[in-house]
């Protein structure tokens, strides 16, 4: 535990902890994506598009929970706030799904790359895009405006 704390403290000093923890959970999300994709494709004998779609759904659900709780520490106070945040998450994940699907179709069908390598390349693109979307548009911290008053001069009597 001491080594973990030292590692985390060092990364926090360099403002890299969030990136590290995002990449850690992004890696796990990629594992979810790969497992679902190959189970759907090889065991269920689904074609590329439905297999990739099922993989995307599984990965998105996993990523929302991990990003909200452990990466960006997002707090929502009402069900409405949670719904808006989840809606934004889905919207931007649909954009990255388009990147994923387009890249998979290009790499597999047009460039005749193997499924594994195509999936690996697309996941790198998707992880980068998703970090940018999450950081800038989805899990933005609430900014508090604090008004500081100037001390008033005391009158001399």
């Amino acid at each position: 535990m001491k080594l973990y704390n030292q590692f985390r403290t060092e990364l926090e000093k360099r403002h890299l902890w969030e990136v590290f923890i995002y990449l850690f959970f992004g890696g796990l999300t990629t594992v979810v994506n790969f497992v679902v994709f190959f189970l759907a494709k090889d065991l269920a004998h689904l074609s590329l598009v439905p297999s990739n779609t099922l993989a995307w759904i599984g990965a998105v659900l996993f990523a929302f929970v991990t990003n909200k709780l452990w990466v960006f520490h997002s707090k929502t106070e009402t069900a409405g706030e949670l719904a808006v945040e989840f809606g934004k998450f889905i919207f931007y994940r649909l954009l990255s799904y388009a990147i994923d699907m387009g890249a998979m179709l290009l790499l597999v069908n047009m460039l005749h790359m193997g499924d594994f390598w195509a999936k690996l390349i697309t996941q790198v693109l998707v992880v980068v895009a998703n970090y940018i979307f999450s950081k800038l548009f989805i899990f933005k911290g609430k900014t508090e405006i604090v008004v500081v008053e100037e001390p008033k001069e005391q009158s001399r009597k």
Side-chain angles (χ1 to χ4, degrees), residues 1-35:
M1 193 61 157
K2 182 179 178 185
L3 185 60
Y4 166 81
N5 288 333
Q6 289 173 331
F7 178 70
R8 181 176 177 157
T9 300
E10 191 59 37
L11 286 179
E12 284 175 342
K13 282 182 198 172
R14 298 171 189 216
H15 305 287
L16 294 174
W17 177 251
E18 183 181 90
V19 172
F20 172 78
I21 204 74
Y22 181 83
L23 290 175
F24 173 77
F25 284 113
L28 291 178
T29 301
T30 300
V31 169
V32 168
N33 191 297
F34 264 73
V35 168

Short mmCIF file of all heavy atoms in Angstrom, two decimals, residues 1-35:
data_model
loop_
_atom_site.label_atom_id
_atom_site.label_comp_id
_atom_site.label_asym_id
_atom_site.label_seq_id
_atom_site.Cartn_x
_atom_site.Cartn_y
_atom_site.Cartn_z
N MET A 1 0.82 -1.20 0.00
CA MET A 1 0.00 0.00 0.00
C MET A 1 0.86 1.26 0.00
O MET A 1 0.49 2.25 -0.60
CB MET A 1 -0.92 -0.05 1.23
CG MET A 1 -2.02 0.95 1.17
SD MET A 1 -3.05 0.64 -0.26
CE MET A 1 -4.52 1.39 0.24
N LYS A 2 2.01 1.17 0.67
CA LYS A 2 2.91 2.32 0.72
C LYS A 2 3.41 2.68 -0.69
O LYS A 2 3.45 3.85 -1.04
CB LYS A 2 4.08 2.01 1.64
CG LYS A 2 5.04 3.16 1.81
CD LYS A 2 6.18 2.81 2.74
CE LYS A 2 7.15 3.96 2.85
NZ LYS A 2 8.33 3.63 3.66
N LEU A 3 3.75 1.66 -1.46
CA LEU A 3 4.23 1.90 -2.82
C LEU A 3 3.13 2.54 -3.68
O LEU A 3 3.40 3.47 -4.44
CB LEU A 3 4.69 0.58 -3.45
CG LEU A 3 5.33 0.69 -4.83
CD1 LEU A 3 6.58 1.56 -4.77
CD2 LEU A 3 5.69 -0.69 -5.33
N TYR A 4 1.90 2.06 -3.52
CA TYR A 4 0.76 2.65 -4.24
C TYR A 4 0.60 4.12 -3.88
O TYR A 4 0.43 4.97 -4.75
CB TYR A 4 -0.52 1.88 -3.91
CG TYR A 4 -1.78 2.61 -4.34
CD1 TYR A 4 -2.21 2.56 -5.66
CD2 TYR A 4 -2.53 3.35 -3.42
CE1 TYR A 4 -3.36 3.23 -6.05
CE2 TYR A 4 -3.67 4.03 -3.82
CZ TYR A 4 -4.08 3.96 -5.12
OH TYR A 4 -5.20 4.64 -5.51
N ASN A 5 0.65 4.44 -2.59
CA ASN A 5 0.49 5.83 -2.15
C ASN A 5 1.60 6.72 -2.69
O ASN A 5 1.35 7.86 -3.08
CB ASN A 5 0.42 5.91 -0.62
CG ASN A 5 -0.90 5.37 -0.09
OD1 ASN A 5 -1.91 5.40 -0.77
ND2 ASN A 5 -0.87 4.86 1.13
N GLN A 6 2.83 6.21 -2.70
CA GLN A 6 3.95 7.00 -3.25
C GLN A 6 3.75 7.24 -4.74
O GLN A 6 3.97 8.34 -5.24
CB GLN A 6 5.28 6.27 -3.01
CG GLN A 6 5.73 6.26 -1.58
CD GLN A 6 6.96 5.39 -1.38
OE1 GLN A 6 7.19 4.43 -2.11
NE2 GLN A 6 7.77 5.76 -0.39
N PHE A 7 3.34 6.17 -5.44
CA PHE A 7 3.10 6.27 -6.87
C PHE A 7 2.01 7.29 -7.16
O PHE A 7 2.16 8.17 -8.01
CB PHE A 7 2.71 4.88 -7.41
CG PHE A 7 2.38 4.85 -8.87
CD1 PHE A 7 3.37 5.02 -9.83
CD2 PHE A 7 1.08 4.63 -9.30
CE1 PHE A 7 3.07 4.99 -11.18
CE2 PHE A 7 0.77 4.59 -10.65
CZ PHE A 7 1.77 4.78 -11.59
N ARG A 8 0.90 7.20 -6.42
CA ARG A 8 -0.22 8.12 -6.63
C ARG A 8 0.18 9.55 -6.31
O ARG A 8 -0.13 10.48 -7.06
CB ARG A 8 -1.42 7.70 -5.78
CG ARG A 8 -2.59 8.62 -6.01
CD ARG A 8 -3.82 8.19 -5.27
NE ARG A 8 -4.87 9.16 -5.50
CZ ARG A 8 -6.15 8.91 -5.38
NH1 ARG A 8 -6.56 7.72 -5.03
NH2 ARG A 8 -7.03 9.86 -5.61
N THR A 9 0.88 9.75 -5.21
CA THR A 9 1.31 11.09 -4.81
C THR A 9 2.21 11.70 -5.88
O THR A 9 2.05 12.87 -6.23
CB THR A 9 2.05 11.03 -3.46
OG1 THR A 9 1.16 10.49 -2.48
CG2 THR A 9 2.52 12.40 -3.02
N GLU A 10 3.12 10.91 -6.42
CA GLU A 10 4.02 11.42 -7.45
C GLU A 10 3.25 11.81 -8.71
O GLU A 10 3.50 12.87 -9.30
CB GLU A 10 5.09 10.37 -7.79
CG GLU A 10 6.20 10.90 -8.63
CD GLU A 10 6.97 12.07 -8.02
OE1 GLU A 10 7.18 12.11 -6.79
OE2 GLU A 10 7.37 12.96 -8.80
N LEU A 11 2.30 10.98 -9.11
CA LEU A 11 1.50 11.31 -10.29
C LEU A 11 0.60 12.51 -10.05
O LEU A 11 0.40 13.33 -10.94
CB LEU A 11 0.67 10.11 -10.74
CG LEU A 11 1.42 8.98 -11.42
CD1 LEU A 11 0.49 7.85 -11.78
CD2 LEU A 11 2.18 9.45 -12.64
N GLU A 12 0.07 12.63 -8.85
CA GLU A 12 -0.78 13.78 -8.53
C GLU A 12 0.03 15.08 -8.57
O GLU A 12 -0.47 16.11 -9.03
CB GLU A 12 -1.46 13.60 -7.17
CG GLU A 12 -2.61 12.61 -7.22
CD GLU A 12 -3.22 12.31 -5.87
OE1 GLU A 12 -2.57 12.57 -4.83
OE2 GLU A 12 -4.34 11.79 -5.86
N LYS A 13 1.28 15.04 -8.09
CA LYS A 13 2.14 16.23 -8.15
C LYS A 13 2.32 16.70 -9.59
O LYS A 13 2.41 17.88 -9.85
CB LYS A 13 3.53 15.92 -7.58
CG LYS A 13 3.61 15.88 -6.09
CD LYS A 13 5.06 15.60 -5.69
CE LYS A 13 5.16 15.12 -4.28
NZ LYS A 13 6.52 14.68 -3.94
N ARG A 14 2.38 15.75 -10.49
CA ARG A 14 2.60 16.05 -11.91
C ARG A 14 1.28 16.20 -12.67
O ARG A 14 1.29 16.29 -13.90
CB ARG A 14 3.44 14.96 -12.54
CG ARG A 14 4.81 14.85 -11.93
CD ARG A 14 5.54 13.64 -12.42
NE ARG A 14 6.76 13.47 -11.65
CZ ARG A 14 7.88 13.03 -12.15
NH1 ARG A 14 7.96 12.72 -13.42
NH2 ARG A 14 8.94 12.90 -11.38
N HIS A 15 0.17 16.17 -11.96
CA HIS A 15 -1.17 16.29 -12.55
C HIS A 15 -1.42 15.19 -13.59
O HIS A 15 -2.04 15.43 -14.63
CB HIS A 15 -1.39 17.67 -13.16
CG HIS A 15 -1.15 18.78 -12.20
ND1 HIS A 15 -2.02 19.07 -11.17
CD2 HIS A 15 -0.11 19.66 -12.08
CE1 HIS A 15 -1.53 20.08 -10.47
NE2 HIS A 15 -0.38 20.45 -10.99
N LEU A 16 -0.94 13.97 -13.29
CA LEU A 16 -1.10 12.85 -14.21
C LEU A 16 -1.95 11.72 -13.64
O LEU A 16 -2.17 10.72 -14.31
CB LEU A 16 0.28 12.29 -14.60
CG LEU A 16 1.16 13.22 -15.42
CD1 LEU A 16 2.54 12.62 -15.62
CD2 LEU A 16 0.51 13.52 -16.76
N TRP A 17 -2.40 11.86 -12.40
CA TRP A 17 -3.16 10.76 -11.79
C TRP A 17 -4.45 10.49 -12.56
O TRP A 17 -4.78 9.33 -12.84
CB TRP A 17 -3.47 11.05 -10.32
CG TRP A 17 -4.32 9.96 -9.73
CD1 TRP A 17 -5.62 10.03 -9.38
CD2 TRP A 17 -3.90 8.62 -9.45
NE1 TRP A 17 -6.05 8.82 -8.90
CE2 TRP A 17 -5.01 7.93 -8.94
CE3 TRP A 17 -2.70 7.93 -9.60
CZ2 TRP A 17 -4.96 6.59 -8.56
CZ3 TRP A 17 -2.65 6.59 -9.22
CH2 TRP A 17 -3.77 5.95 -8.71
N GLU A 18 -5.19 11.52 -12.92
CA GLU A 18 -6.44 11.34 -13.63
C GLU A 18 -6.21 10.63 -14.97
O GLU A 18 -6.97 9.73 -15.34
CB GLU A 18 -7.13 12.67 -13.85
CG GLU A 18 -8.49 12.55 -14.51
CD GLU A 18 -9.12 13.90 -14.73
OE1 GLU A 18 -8.88 14.50 -15.79
OE2 GLU A 18 -9.84 14.35 -13.81
N VAL A 19 -5.17 11.01 -15.68
CA VAL A 19 -4.85 10.36 -16.95
C VAL A 19 -4.50 8.89 -16.71
O VAL A 19 -4.97 8.00 -17.43
CB VAL A 19 -3.70 11.09 -17.68
CG1 VAL A 19 -3.25 10.31 -18.90
CG2 VAL A 19 -4.12 12.50 -18.06
N PHE A 20 -3.69 8.63 -15.70
CA PHE A 20 -3.31 7.26 -15.39
C PHE A 20 -4.53 6.40 -15.06
O PHE A 20 -4.70 5.31 -15.60
CB PHE A 20 -2.31 7.21 -14.23
CG PHE A 20 -2.05 5.82 -13.75
CD1 PHE A 20 -1.19 4.98 -14.45
CD2 PHE A 20 -2.68 5.32 -12.62
CE1 PHE A 20 -0.97 3.68 -14.03
CE2 PHE A 20 -2.46 4.02 -12.18
CZ PHE A 20 -1.61 3.20 -12.89
N ILE A 21 -5.37 6.89 -14.18
CA ILE A 21 -6.53 6.10 -13.74
C ILE A 21 -7.52 5.95 -14.90
O ILE A 21 -8.17 4.91 -15.04
CB ILE A 21 -7.17 6.68 -12.46
CG1 ILE A 21 -7.95 5.61 -11.70
CG2 ILE A 21 -8.03 7.86 -12.72
CD1 ILE A 21 -7.09 4.62 -10.99
N TYR A 22 -7.63 6.97 -15.77
CA TYR A 22 -8.47 6.84 -16.95
C TYR A 22 -7.93 5.76 -17.87
O TYR A 22 -8.68 4.94 -18.40
CB TYR A 22 -8.57 8.17 -17.71
CG TYR A 22 -9.46 8.04 -18.92
CD1 TYR A 22 -10.84 8.14 -18.79
CD2 TYR A 22 -8.94 7.76 -20.18
CE1 TYR A 22 -11.67 7.98 -19.89
CE2 TYR A 22 -9.76 7.59 -21.28
CZ TYR A 22 -11.11 7.71 -21.12
OH TYR A 22 -11.94 7.54 -22.21
N LEU A 23 -6.62 5.75 -18.09
CA LEU A 23 -6.03 4.72 -18.94
C LEU A 23 -6.18 3.33 -18.34
O LEU A 23 -6.39 2.35 -19.06
CB LEU A 23 -4.56 5.04 -19.22
CG LEU A 23 -4.32 6.24 -20.13
CD1 LEU A 23 -2.83 6.55 -20.24
CD2 LEU A 23 -4.94 6.02 -21.51
N PHE A 24 -6.10 3.24 -17.02
CA PHE A 24 -6.30 1.95 -16.34
C PHE A 24 -7.71 1.44 -16.61
O PHE A 24 -7.90 0.31 -17.08
CB PHE A 24 -6.05 2.09 -14.83
CG PHE A 24 -6.38 0.86 -14.06
CD1 PHE A 24 -5.52 -0.23 -14.06
CD2 PHE A 24 -7.57 0.77 -13.35
CE1 PHE A 24 -5.83 -1.39 -13.36
CE2 PHE A 24 -7.89 -0.38 -12.64
CZ PHE A 24 -7.02 -1.47 -12.64
N PHE A 25 -8.71 2.27 -16.33
CA PHE A 25 -10.09 1.84 -16.56
C PHE A 25 -10.41 1.78 -18.05
O PHE A 25 -11.24 0.97 -18.48
CB PHE A 25 -11.08 2.73 -15.80
CG PHE A 25 -11.11 2.41 -14.34
CD1 PHE A 25 -10.65 3.32 -13.41
CD2 PHE A 25 -11.60 1.19 -13.88
CE1 PHE A 25 -10.67 3.02 -12.06
CE2 PHE A 25 -11.62 0.88 -12.54
CZ PHE A 25 -11.15 1.79 -11.63
N GLY A 26 -9.75 2.60 -18.85
CA GLY A 26 -9.89 2.49 -20.31
C GLY A 26 -9.38 1.16 -20.80
O GLY A 26 -9.96 0.55 -21.71
N GLY A 27 -8.29 0.69 -20.20
CA GLY A 27 -7.78 -0.64 -20.53
C GLY A 27 -8.77 -1.73 -20.18
O GLY A 27 -9.00 -2.66 -20.96
N LEU A 28 -9.38 -1.61 -19.00
CA LEU A 28 -10.39 -2.59 -18.61
C LEU A 28 -11.61 -2.52 -19.52
O LEU A 28 -12.21 -3.55 -19.88
CB LEU A 28 -10.81 -2.38 -17.15
CG LEU A 28 -9.74 -2.71 -16.10
CD1 LEU A 28 -10.27 -2.41 -14.70
CD2 LEU A 28 -9.29 -4.16 -16.20
N THR A 29 -11.98 -1.31 -19.92
CA THR A 29 -13.10 -1.14 -20.85
C THR A 29 -12.76 -1.79 -22.19
O THR A 29 -13.63 -2.43 -22.81
CB THR A 29 -13.42 0.36 -21.04
OG1 THR A 29 -13.74 0.93 -19.78
CG2 THR A 29 -14.57 0.57 -22.01
N THR A 30 -11.53 -1.66 -22.61
CA THR A 30 -11.09 -2.31 -23.85
C THR A 30 -11.17 -3.82 -23.74
O THR A 30 -11.58 -4.50 -24.68
CB THR A 30 -9.65 -1.86 -24.21
OG1 THR A 30 -9.66 -0.44 -24.39
CG2 THR A 30 -9.15 -2.53 -25.48
N VAL A 31 -10.82 -4.36 -22.57
CA VAL A 31 -10.95 -5.80 -22.35
C VAL A 31 -12.41 -6.22 -22.48
O VAL A 31 -12.73 -7.22 -23.14
CB VAL A 31 -10.36 -6.22 -20.98
CG1 VAL A 31 -10.73 -7.65 -20.62
CG2 VAL A 31 -8.85 -6.03 -20.97
N VAL A 32 -13.31 -5.45 -21.86
CA VAL A 32 -14.74 -5.75 -21.98
C VAL A 32 -15.15 -5.72 -23.45
O VAL A 32 -15.83 -6.63 -23.94
CB VAL A 32 -15.59 -4.73 -21.16
CG1 VAL A 32 -17.07 -4.84 -21.50
CG2 VAL A 32 -15.37 -4.92 -19.68
N ASN A 33 -14.69 -4.71 -24.17
CA ASN A 33 -15.02 -4.57 -25.59
C ASN A 33 -14.53 -5.78 -26.39
O ASN A 33 -15.27 -6.37 -27.17
CB ASN A 33 -14.41 -3.27 -26.13
CG ASN A 33 -14.91 -2.91 -27.51
OD1 ASN A 33 -14.71 -3.64 -28.46
ND2 ASN A 33 -15.55 -1.76 -27.61
N PHE A 34 -13.28 -6.18 -26.18
CA PHE A 34 -12.70 -7.32 -26.90
C PHE A 34 -13.45 -8.61 -26.58
O PHE A 34 -13.78 -9.38 -27.48
CB PHE A 34 -11.23 -7.49 -26.50
CG PHE A 34 -10.26 -6.85 -27.44
CD1 PHE A 34 -10.11 -5.48 -27.50
CD2 PHE A 34 -9.46 -7.63 -28.27
CE1 PHE A 34 -9.21 -4.89 -28.35
CE2 PHE A 34 -8.55 -7.05 -29.13
CZ PHE A 34 -8.42 -5.67 -29.17
N VAL A 35 -13.69 -8.84 -25.30
CA VAL A 35 -14.34 -10.10 -24.89
C VAL A 35 -15.73 -10.21 -25.51
O VAL A 35 -16.08 -11.24 -26.09
CB VAL A 35 -14.39 -10.21 -23.35
CG1 VAL A 35 -15.30 -11.34 -22.90
CG2 VAL A 35 -12.98 -10.42 -22.79
#
